[in-house]
């Protein structure tokens, strides 16, 4: 049986080979369907948390090397848990470093074993920017992700994950986002790292607008 370290090193090489930073950012002009409101809010390949039938949808464009994303992650998690009626759509938008792409691929591969949010929380908990891939993999392994399954899914679903990253990138660039994080909270756009109270207030405003008040 291979040692855990050897398995991690093989997986690092696999993730790096599957997802160089230019793999999606330098793609041709986006299909208009990929940047439609329907795909921004309801892309069937995008991971979803919270209440799938929630009355407010938050679409979160994030990078696992983004300090502001990490700062707001606990507040967003608390909001979704305490509110109980929020549908959260995760949009991995890895734009800051090569390892950002690796992190996105690790999280998306974990989705196929039902552990996207487990991987997401583990990656968001890592301090600093440009986190090494080895540290990312160690974090998700410690969080309980099956690493053998992750490796198999990273290979089997490579084209699907790259296509999703391309769509996320096209959407973010099409809407003129300058960086991460960006949160679409119902009809509101928040390009900042909100506190829990700021998230809660934005959700209240979104609900009021949706009700026509």
């Amino acid at each position: 049986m291979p040692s855990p370290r050897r398995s991690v090193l093989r997986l690092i090489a696999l993730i790096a080979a599957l997802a160089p930073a230019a793999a999606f950012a330098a793609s041709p002009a986006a299909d208009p369907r990929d940047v439609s409101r329907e795909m921004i809010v309801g892309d069937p390949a995008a991971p979803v948390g919270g209440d799938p039938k929630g009355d407010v949808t938050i679409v979160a464009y994030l990078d696992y090397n983004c300090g502001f994303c990490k700062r707001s992650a606990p507040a967003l998690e608390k909001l979704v848990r305490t509110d109980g009626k929020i549908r959260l759509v995760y949009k991995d938008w890895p734009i800051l470093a090569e390892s950002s792409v690796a992190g996105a691929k690790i999280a998306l591969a974990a989705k196929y074993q039902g552990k996207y949010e487990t991987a997401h929380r583990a990656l968001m908990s890592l301090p600093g920017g440009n986190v090494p891939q080895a540290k990312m993999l160690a974090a998700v392994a410690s969080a309980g992700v099956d690493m053998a399954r992750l490796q198999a899914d990273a290979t089997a679903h490579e084209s699907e994950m790259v296509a999703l990253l391309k769509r996320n990138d096209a959407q973010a660039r099409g809407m003129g986002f300058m960086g991460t994080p960006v949160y679409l909270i119902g009809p509101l756009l928040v390009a900042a790292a909100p506190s829990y109270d700021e998230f809660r207030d934005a959700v209240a405003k979104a609900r009021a607008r949706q009700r026509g008040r």
Side-chain angles (χ1 to χ4, degrees):
M1 178 179 294
S3 70
R5 176 173 172 76
R6 188 170 297 175
S7 296
V8 165
L9 290 174
R10 281 206 303 269
L11 190 52
I12 290 172
L14 174 66
I15 294 291
L18 292 181
F24 60 93
S27 58
D31 185 325
R33 292 170 294 185
D34 291 345
V35 297
S36 67
R37 182 186 183 281
E38 289 73 21
M39 288 299 279
I40 291 169
V41 175
D43 188 329
V48 174
D51 179 359
K53 298 182 179 179
D55 64 342
V56 170
T57 293
I58 296 179
V59 182
Y61 287 84
L62 305 166
D63 184 305
Y64 290 115
N65 280 312
C66 169
F68 293 106
C69 300
K70 294 175 181 181
R71 183 186 303 176
S72 59
L76 179 59
E77 183 177 351
K78 178 182 177 182
L79 174 80
V80 173
R81 183 178 65 251
T82 58
D83 183 281
K85 296 184 291 183
I86 292 172
R87 175 176 174 265
L88 175 59
V89 180
Y90 295 97
K91 297 281 187 173
D92 290 285
W93 188 32
I95 56 174
L96 296 178
E98 289 283 345
S99 64
S100 298
V101 182
K105 295 294 293 287
I106 291 166
L108 291 173
K111 182 189 75 168
Y112 295 98
Q113 58 180 276
K115 291 194 174 179
Y116 175 88
E117 288 190 304
T118 298
H120 173 82
R121 284 192 293 271
L123 295 172
M124 281 296 174
S125 71
L126 294 172
N130 204 8
V131 178
Q133 296 175 36
K135 198 169 184 179
M136 292 180 173
L137 289 164
V140 299
S142 295
V145 174
D146 182 331
M147 301 307 283
R149 172 75 186 273
L150 185 80
Q151 181 170 356
D153 286 332
T155 301
H157 300 286
E158 172 194 0
S159 61
E160 298 163 43
M161 293 188 293
V162 170
L164 176 59
L165 292 177
K166 287 181 178 179
R167 290 197 296 275
N168 292 350
D169 182 67
Q171 292 161 10
R173 294 181 189 279
M175 287 185 281
F177 299 165
M178 301 301 292
T180 53
V182 176
Y183 302 100
L184 305 178
I185 304 175
L188 307 177
L189 187 154
V190 179
S195 65
Y196 171 76
D197 288 341
E198 289 167 337
F199 268 127
R200 185 187 57 193
D201 291 347
V203 168
K205 290 177 182 176
R207 284 195 171 113
R209 288 198 186 185
Q210 289 175 177
R211 292 167 184 161
R213 295 203 297 263

PDB file of all heavy atoms in Angstrom, residues 59-89:
ATOM      1  N   VAL A  59     -24.974  33.981  -4.647  1.00  0.00           N
ATOM      2  CA  VAL A  59     -23.990  33.408  -5.561  1.00  0.00           C
ATOM      3  C   VAL A  59     -22.634  33.975  -5.155  1.00  0.00           C
ATOM      4  O   VAL A  59     -22.435  35.192  -5.174  1.00  0.00           O
ATOM      5  CB  VAL A  59     -24.303  33.756  -7.026  1.00  0.00           C
ATOM      6  CG1 VAL A  59     -23.287  33.110  -7.962  1.00  0.00           C
ATOM      7  CG2 VAL A  59     -25.721  33.303  -7.393  1.00  0.00           C
ATOM      8  N   ALA A  60     -21.697  33.095  -4.772  1.00  0.00           N
ATOM      9  CA  ALA A  60     -20.420  33.535  -4.208  1.00  0.00           C
ATOM     10  C   ALA A  60     -19.273  33.188  -5.140  1.00  0.00           C
ATOM     11  O   ALA A  60     -19.000  32.005  -5.380  1.00  0.00           O
ATOM     12  CB  ALA A  60     -20.200  32.880  -2.848  1.00  0.00           C
ATOM     13  N   TYR A  61     -18.592  34.207  -5.667  1.00  0.00           N
ATOM     14  CA  TYR A  61     -17.394  34.032  -6.508  1.00  0.00           C
ATOM     15  C   TYR A  61     -16.170  34.143  -5.605  1.00  0.00           C
ATOM     16  O   TYR A  61     -15.922  35.202  -5.007  1.00  0.00           O
ATOM     17  CB  TYR A  61     -17.362  35.085  -7.614  1.00  0.00           C
ATOM     18  CG  TYR A  61     -18.371  34.832  -8.706  1.00  0.00           C
ATOM     19  CD1 TYR A  61     -19.693  35.258  -8.567  1.00  0.00           C
ATOM     20  CD2 TYR A  61     -18.019  34.150  -9.868  1.00  0.00           C
ATOM     21  CE1 TYR A  61     -20.635  35.013  -9.565  1.00  0.00           C
ATOM     22  CE2 TYR A  61     -18.953  33.906 -10.868  1.00  0.00           C
ATOM     23  CZ  TYR A  61     -20.259  34.330 -10.709  1.00  0.00           C
ATOM     24  OH  TYR A  61     -21.192  34.083 -11.698  1.00  0.00           O
ATOM     25  N   LEU A  62     -15.397  33.049  -5.526  1.00  0.00           N
ATOM     26  CA  LEU A  62     -14.358  32.929  -4.509  1.00  0.00           C
ATOM     27  C   LEU A  62     -13.078  32.327  -5.059  1.00  0.00           C
ATOM     28  O   LEU A  62     -13.091  31.634  -6.074  1.00  0.00           O
ATOM     29  CB  LEU A  62     -14.867  32.037  -3.364  1.00  0.00           C
ATOM     30  CG  LEU A  62     -16.191  32.448  -2.714  1.00  0.00           C
ATOM     31  CD1 LEU A  62     -16.728  31.310  -1.856  1.00  0.00           C
ATOM     32  CD2 LEU A  62     -16.017  33.709  -1.886  1.00  0.00           C
ATOM     33  N   ASP A  63     -11.988  32.592  -4.355  1.00  0.00           N
ATOM     34  CA  ASP A  63     -10.674  32.032  -4.679  1.00  0.00           C
ATOM     35  C   ASP A  63     -10.062  31.543  -3.363  1.00  0.00           C
ATOM     36  O   ASP A  63     -10.101  32.247  -2.353  1.00  0.00           O
ATOM     37  CB  ASP A  63      -9.790  33.119  -5.315  1.00  0.00           C
ATOM     38  CG  ASP A  63      -8.429  32.614  -5.770  1.00  0.00           C
ATOM     39  OD1 ASP A  63      -7.695  32.037  -4.937  1.00  0.00           O
ATOM     40  OD2 ASP A  63      -8.081  32.822  -6.938  1.00  0.00           O
ATOM     41  N   TYR A  64      -9.481  30.348  -3.359  1.00  0.00           N
ATOM     42  CA  TYR A  64      -8.956  29.776  -2.120  1.00  0.00           C
ATOM     43  C   TYR A  64      -7.644  30.402  -1.665  1.00  0.00           C
ATOM     44  O   TYR A  64      -7.133  30.035  -0.604  1.00  0.00           O
ATOM     45  CB  TYR A  64      -8.821  28.263  -2.259  1.00  0.00           C
ATOM     46  CG  TYR A  64     -10.168  27.586  -2.314  1.00  0.00           C
ATOM     47  CD1 TYR A  64     -10.588  26.906  -3.447  1.00  0.00           C
ATOM     48  CD2 TYR A  64     -11.036  27.665  -1.234  1.00  0.00           C
ATOM     49  CE1 TYR A  64     -11.837  26.312  -3.498  1.00  0.00           C
ATOM     50  CE2 TYR A  64     -12.291  27.081  -1.272  1.00  0.00           C
ATOM     51  CZ  TYR A  64     -12.679  26.409  -2.414  1.00  0.00           C
ATOM     52  OH  TYR A  64     -13.937  25.830  -2.457  1.00  0.00           O
ATOM     53  N   ASN A  65      -7.111  31.346  -2.407  1.00  0.00           N
ATOM     54  CA  ASN A  65      -5.961  32.125  -1.957  1.00  0.00           C
ATOM     55  C   ASN A  65      -6.346  33.555  -1.589  1.00  0.00           C
ATOM     56  O   ASN A  65      -5.475  34.393  -1.370  1.00  0.00           O
ATOM     57  CB  ASN A  65      -4.879  32.146  -3.040  1.00  0.00           C
ATOM     58  CG  ASN A  65      -4.054  30.876  -3.047  1.00  0.00           C
ATOM     59  OD1 ASN A  65      -3.589  30.414  -2.017  1.00  0.00           O
ATOM     60  ND2 ASN A  65      -3.886  30.287  -4.228  1.00  0.00           N
ATOM     61  N   CYS A  66      -7.628  33.825  -1.547  1.00  0.00           N
ATOM     62  CA  CYS A  66      -8.130  35.181  -1.301  1.00  0.00           C
ATOM     63  C   CYS A  66      -8.336  35.405   0.195  1.00  0.00           C
ATOM     64  O   CYS A  66      -9.198  34.773   0.817  1.00  0.00           O
ATOM     65  CB  CYS A  66      -9.439  35.383  -2.064  1.00  0.00           C
ATOM     66  SG  CYS A  66     -10.349  36.874  -1.614  1.00  0.00           S
ATOM     67  N   GLY A  67      -7.547  36.319   0.771  1.00  0.00           N
ATOM     68  CA  GLY A  67      -7.668  36.614   2.194  1.00  0.00           C
ATOM     69  C   GLY A  67      -9.022  37.181   2.564  1.00  0.00           C
ATOM     70  O   GLY A  67      -9.556  36.882   3.640  1.00  0.00           O
ATOM     71  N   PHE A  68      -9.610  38.001   1.693  1.00  0.00           N
ATOM     72  CA  PHE A  68     -10.924  38.574   1.982  1.00  0.00           C
ATOM     73  C   PHE A  68     -12.012  37.509   1.928  1.00  0.00           C
ATOM     74  O   PHE A  68     -12.968  37.551   2.707  1.00  0.00           O
ATOM     75  CB  PHE A  68     -11.228  39.712   1.001  1.00  0.00           C
ATOM     76  CG  PHE A  68     -10.338  40.905   1.187  1.00  0.00           C
ATOM     77  CD1 PHE A  68      -9.332  41.179   0.276  1.00  0.00           C
ATOM     78  CD2 PHE A  68     -10.502  41.744   2.269  1.00  0.00           C
ATOM     79  CE1 PHE A  68      -8.497  42.275   0.445  1.00  0.00           C
ATOM     80  CE2 PHE A  68      -9.675  42.851   2.451  1.00  0.00           C
ATOM     81  CZ  PHE A  68      -8.666  43.111   1.533  1.00  0.00           C
ATOM     82  N   CYS A  69     -11.863  36.547   1.020  1.00  0.00           N
ATOM     83  CA  CYS A  69     -12.808  35.423   0.974  1.00  0.00           C
ATOM     84  C   CYS A  69     -12.755  34.653   2.283  1.00  0.00           C
ATOM     85  O   CYS A  69     -13.791  34.278   2.845  1.00  0.00           O
ATOM     86  CB  CYS A  69     -12.463  34.482  -0.182  1.00  0.00           C
ATOM     87  SG  CYS A  69     -12.504  35.226  -1.828  1.00  0.00           S
ATOM     88  N   LYS A  70     -11.540  34.401   2.759  1.00  0.00           N
ATOM     89  CA  LYS A  70     -11.366  33.649   4.003  1.00  0.00           C
ATOM     90  C   LYS A  70     -11.909  34.419   5.190  1.00  0.00           C
ATOM     91  O   LYS A  70     -12.438  33.834   6.139  1.00  0.00           O
ATOM     92  CB  LYS A  70      -9.888  33.304   4.190  1.00  0.00           C
ATOM     93  CG  LYS A  70      -9.365  32.330   3.139  1.00  0.00           C
ATOM     94  CD  LYS A  70      -7.870  32.098   3.273  1.00  0.00           C
ATOM     95  CE  LYS A  70      -7.381  31.145   2.184  1.00  0.00           C
ATOM     96  NZ  LYS A  70      -5.936  30.859   2.283  1.00  0.00           N
ATOM     97  N   ARG A  71     -11.775  35.742   5.146  1.00  0.00           N
ATOM     98  CA  ARG A  71     -12.269  36.570   6.244  1.00  0.00           C
ATOM     99  C   ARG A  71     -13.788  36.494   6.345  1.00  0.00           C
ATOM    100  O   ARG A  71     -14.350  36.461   7.442  1.00  0.00           O
ATOM    101  CB  ARG A  71     -11.826  38.017   6.049  1.00  0.00           C
ATOM    102  CG  ARG A  71     -12.245  38.947   7.185  1.00  0.00           C
ATOM    103  CD  ARG A  71     -11.919  40.392   6.867  1.00  0.00           C
ATOM    104  NE  ARG A  71     -10.502  40.588   6.581  1.00  0.00           N
ATOM    105  CZ  ARG A  71      -9.978  41.747   6.193  1.00  0.00           C
ATOM    106  NH1 ARG A  71     -10.765  42.809   6.019  1.00  0.00           N
ATOM    107  NH2 ARG A  71      -8.683  41.857   5.972  1.00  0.00           N
ATOM    108  N   SER A  72     -14.466  36.478   5.198  1.00  0.00           N
ATOM    109  CA  SER A  72     -15.929  36.492   5.215  1.00  0.00           C
ATOM    110  C   SER A  72     -16.547  35.099   5.254  1.00  0.00           C
ATOM    111  O   SER A  72     -17.749  34.962   5.501  1.00  0.00           O
ATOM    112  CB  SER A  72     -16.462  37.250   3.995  1.00  0.00           C
ATOM    113  OG  SER A  72     -16.013  36.660   2.787  1.00  0.00           O
ATOM    114  N   ALA A  73     -15.751  34.050   5.039  1.00  0.00           N
ATOM    115  CA  ALA A  73     -16.303  32.687   4.971  1.00  0.00           C
ATOM    116  C   ALA A  73     -17.036  32.271   6.245  1.00  0.00           C
ATOM    117  O   ALA A  73     -18.147  31.725   6.170  1.00  0.00           O
ATOM    118  CB  ALA A  73     -15.209  31.689   4.618  1.00  0.00           C
ATOM    119  N   PRO A  74     -16.488  32.489   7.449  1.00  0.00           N
ATOM    120  CA  PRO A  74     -17.235  32.090   8.649  1.00  0.00           C
ATOM    121  C   PRO A  74     -18.550  32.835   8.813  1.00  0.00           C
ATOM    122  O   PRO A  74     -19.548  32.254   9.260  1.00  0.00           O
ATOM    123  CB  PRO A  74     -16.259  32.422   9.790  1.00  0.00           C
ATOM    124  CG  PRO A  74     -14.907  32.442   9.160  1.00  0.00           C
ATOM    125  CD  PRO A  74     -15.132  32.982   7.782  1.00  0.00           C
ATOM    126  N   ALA A  75     -18.568  34.114   8.449  1.00  0.00           N
ATOM    127  CA  ALA A  75     -19.795  34.901   8.558  1.00  0.00           C
ATOM    128  C   ALA A  75     -20.855  34.376   7.596  1.00  0.00           C
ATOM    129  O   ALA A  75     -22.044  34.266   7.947  1.00  0.00           O
ATOM    130  CB  ALA A  75     -19.514  36.372   8.281  1.00  0.00           C
ATOM    131  N   LEU A  76     -20.449  34.038   6.378  1.00  0.00           N
ATOM    132  CA  LEU A  76     -21.397  33.507   5.402  1.00  0.00           C
ATOM    133  C   LEU A  76     -21.931  32.149   5.854  1.00  0.00           C
ATOM    134  O   LEU A  76     -23.135  31.876   5.757  1.00  0.00           O
ATOM    135  CB  LEU A  76     -20.723  33.387   4.031  1.00  0.00           C
ATOM    136  CG  LEU A  76     -21.583  32.814   2.904  1.00  0.00           C
ATOM    137  CD1 LEU A  76     -22.842  33.650   2.681  1.00  0.00           C
ATOM    138  CD2 LEU A  76     -20.764  32.731   1.614  1.00  0.00           C
ATOM    139  N   GLU A  77     -21.056  31.309   6.362  1.00  0.00           N
ATOM    140  CA  GLU A  77     -21.492  29.996   6.842  1.00  0.00           C
ATOM    141  C   GLU A  77     -22.492  30.138   7.986  1.00  0.00           C
ATOM    142  O   GLU A  77     -23.516  29.446   8.030  1.00  0.00           O
ATOM    143  CB  GLU A  77     -20.279  29.180   7.291  1.00  0.00           C
ATOM    144  CG  GLU A  77     -20.632  27.779   7.742  1.00  0.00           C
ATOM    145  CD  GLU A  77     -19.416  26.946   8.108  1.00  0.00           C
ATOM    146  OE1 GLU A  77     -18.279  27.398   7.860  1.00  0.00           O
ATOM    147  OE2 GLU A  77     -19.608  25.842   8.650  1.00  0.00           O
ATOM    148  N   LYS A  78     -22.197  31.052   8.917  1.00  0.00           N
ATOM    149  CA  LYS A  78     -23.108  31.292  10.037  1.00  0.00           C
ATOM    150  C   LYS A  78     -24.457  31.813   9.542  1.00  0.00           C
ATOM    151  O   LYS A  78     -25.520  31.382  10.019  1.00  0.00           O
ATOM    152  CB  LYS A  78     -22.480  32.290  11.013  1.00  0.00           C
ATOM    153  CG  LYS A  78     -23.376  32.632  12.190  1.00  0.00           C
ATOM    154  CD  LYS A  78     -22.706  33.663  13.104  1.00  0.00           C
ATOM    155  CE  LYS A  78     -23.633  34.077  14.248  1.00  0.00           C
ATOM    156  NZ  LYS A  78     -23.012  35.117  15.110  1.00  0.00           N
ATOM    157  N   LEU A  79     -24.428  32.725   8.578  1.00  0.00           N
ATOM    158  CA  LEU A  79     -25.664  33.281   8.030  1.00  0.00           C
ATOM    159  C   LEU A  79     -26.536  32.188   7.429  1.00  0.00           C
ATOM    160  O   LEU A  79     -27.742  32.118   7.704  1.00  0.00           O
ATOM    161  CB  LEU A  79     -25.337  34.321   6.964  1.00  0.00           C
ATOM    162  CG  LEU A  79     -26.546  34.883   6.217  1.00  0.00           C
ATOM    163  CD1 LEU A  79     -27.227  35.942   7.056  1.00  0.00           C
ATOM    164  CD2 LEU A  79     -26.152  35.442   4.865  1.00  0.00           C
ATOM    165  N   VAL A  80     -25.947  31.344   6.590  1.00  0.00           N
ATOM    166  CA  VAL A  80     -26.713  30.280   5.933  1.00  0.00           C
ATOM    167  C   VAL A  80     -27.300  29.332   6.981  1.00  0.00           C
ATOM    168  O   VAL A  80     -28.457  28.901   6.868  1.00  0.00           O
ATOM    169  CB  VAL A  80     -25.820  29.522   4.934  1.00  0.00           C
ATOM    170  CG1 VAL A  80     -26.540  28.302   4.378  1.00  0.00           C
ATOM    171  CG2 VAL A  80     -25.400  30.447   3.793  1.00  0.00           C
ATOM    172  N   ARG A  81     -26.524  29.039   8.018  1.00  0.00           N
ATOM    173  CA  ARG A  81     -26.978  28.108   9.058  1.00  0.00           C
ATOM    174  C   ARG A  81     -28.098  28.718   9.904  1.00  0.00           C
ATOM    175  O   ARG A  81     -29.106  28.052  10.186  1.00  0.00           O
ATOM    176  CB  ARG A  81     -25.799  27.727   9.951  1.00  0.00           C
ATOM    177  CG  ARG A  81     -26.143  26.713  11.027  1.00  0.00           C
ATOM    178  CD  ARG A  81     -24.921  26.333  11.841  1.00  0.00           C
ATOM    179  NE  ARG A  81     -24.378  27.447  12.623  1.00  0.00           N
ATOM    180  CZ  ARG A  81     -23.243  28.067  12.355  1.00  0.00           C
ATOM    181  NH1 ARG A  81     -22.498  27.708  11.316  1.00  0.00           N
ATOM    182  NH2 ARG A  81     -22.826  29.067  13.116  1.00  0.00           N
ATOM    183  N   THR A  82     -27.948  29.971  10.307  1.00  0.00           N
ATOM    184  CA  THR A  82     -28.923  30.576  11.211  1.00  0.00           C
ATOM    185  C   THR A  82     -30.185  31.054  10.493  1.00  0.00           C
ATOM    186  O   THR A  82     -31.268  31.013  11.059  1.00  0.00           O
ATOM    187  CB  THR A  82     -28.298  31.757  11.970  1.00  0.00           C
ATOM    188  OG1 THR A  82     -27.813  32.727  11.040  1.00  0.00           O
ATOM    189  CG2 THR A  82     -27.156  31.287  12.847  1.00  0.00           C
ATOM    190  N   ASP A  83     -30.036  31.500   9.247  1.00  0.00           N
ATOM    191  CA  ASP A  83     -31.197  31.974   8.495  1.00  0.00           C
ATOM    192  C   ASP A  83     -32.111  30.819   8.101  1.00  0.00           C
ATOM    193  O   ASP A  83     -33.334  30.876   8.271  1.00  0.00           O
ATOM    194  CB  ASP A  83     -30.740  32.746   7.254  1.00  0.00           C
ATOM    195  CG  ASP A  83     -31.888  33.338   6.472  1.00  0.00           C
ATOM    196  OD1 ASP A  83     -32.550  32.592   5.709  1.00  0.00           O
ATOM    197  OD2 ASP A  83     -32.138  34.553   6.591  1.00  0.00           O
ATOM    198  N   GLY A  84     -31.529  29.770   7.546  1.00  0.00           N
ATOM    199  CA  GLY A  84     -32.294  28.577   7.203  1.00  0.00           C
ATOM    200  C   GLY A  84     -33.068  28.624   5.901  1.00  0.00           C
ATOM    201  O   GLY A  84     -33.636  27.611   5.481  1.00  0.00           O
ATOM    202  N   LYS A  85     -33.067  29.776   5.233  1.00  0.00           N
ATOM    203  CA  LYS A  85     -33.849  29.895   3.994  1.00  0.00           C
ATOM    204  C   LYS A  85     -33.013  30.483   2.850  1.00  0.00           C
ATOM    205  O   LYS A  85     -33.555  31.123   1.943  1.00  0.00           O
ATOM    206  CB  LYS A  85     -35.084  30.758   4.231  1.00  0.00           C
ATOM    207  CG  LYS A  85     -36.073  30.167   5.232  1.00  0.00           C
ATOM    208  CD  LYS A  85     -37.330  31.008   5.358  1.00  0.00           C
ATOM    209  CE  LYS A  85     -37.012  32.335   6.045  1.00  0.00           C
ATOM    210  NZ  LYS A  85     -38.240  33.161   6.265  1.00  0.00           N
ATOM    211  N   ILE A  86     -31.718  30.260   2.911  1.00  0.00           N
ATOM    212  CA  ILE A  86     -30.810  30.794   1.891  1.00  0.00           C
ATOM    213  C   ILE A  86     -30.278  29.657   1.041  1.00  0.00           C
ATOM    214  O   ILE A  86     -29.839  28.622   1.553  1.00  0.00           O
ATOM    215  CB  ILE A  86     -29.645  31.564   2.525  1.00  0.00           C
ATOM    216  CG1 ILE A  86     -30.159  32.854   3.174  1.00  0.00           C
ATOM    217  CG2 ILE A  86     -28.561  31.876   1.490  1.00  0.00           C
ATOM    218  CD1 ILE A  86     -29.124  33.578   3.990  1.00  0.00           C
ATOM    219  N   ARG A  87     -30.312  29.856  -0.251  1.00  0.00           N
ATOM    220  CA  ARG A  87     -29.691  28.938  -1.212  1.00  0.00           C
ATOM    221  C   ARG A  87     -28.345  29.546  -1.592  1.00  0.00           C
ATOM    222  O   ARG A  87     -28.283  30.662  -2.085  1.00  0.00           O
ATOM    223  CB  ARG A  87     -30.584  28.773  -2.436  1.00  0.00           C
ATOM    224  CG  ARG A  87     -29.987  27.924  -3.553  1.00  0.00           C
ATOM    225  CD  ARG A  87     -31.013  27.740  -4.677  1.00  0.00           C
ATOM    226  NE  ARG A  87     -30.430  27.052  -5.813  1.00  0.00           N
ATOM    227  CZ  ARG A  87     -29.911  27.669  -6.877  1.00  0.00           C
ATOM    228  NH1 ARG A  87     -29.898  29.003  -6.941  1.00  0.00           N
ATOM    229  NH2 ARG A  87     -29.394  26.978  -7.870  1.00  0.00           N
ATOM    230  N   LEU A  88     -27.273  28.809  -1.347  1.00  0.00           N
ATOM    231  CA  LEU A  88     -25.925  29.320  -1.589  1.00  0.00           C
ATOM    232  C   LEU A  88     -25.295  28.591  -2.768  1.00  0.00           C
ATOM    233  O   LEU A  88     -25.133  27.367  -2.739  1.00  0.00           O
ATOM    234  CB  LEU A  88     -25.063  29.127  -0.343  1.00  0.00           C
ATOM    235  CG  LEU A  88     -23.583  29.497  -0.441  1.00  0.00           C
ATOM    236  CD1 LEU A  88     -23.412  30.961  -0.825  1.00  0.00           C
ATOM    237  CD2 LEU A  88     -22.865  29.193   0.874  1.00  0.00           C
ATOM    238  N   VAL A  89     -24.938  29.345  -3.806  1.00  0.00           N
ATOM    239  CA  VAL A  89     -24.300  28.785  -5.001  1.00  0.00           C
ATOM    240  C   VAL A  89     -22.824  29.164  -4.977  1.00  0.00           C
ATOM    241  O   VAL A  89     -22.475  30.347  -4.934  1.00  0.00           O
ATOM    242  CB  VAL A  89     -24.960  29.322  -6.286  1.00  0.00           C
ATOM    243  CG1 VAL A  89     -24.272  28.719  -7.527  1.00  0.00           C
ATOM    244  CG2 VAL A  89     -26.452  29.007  -6.304  1.00  0.00           C
TER     245      VAL A  89
END
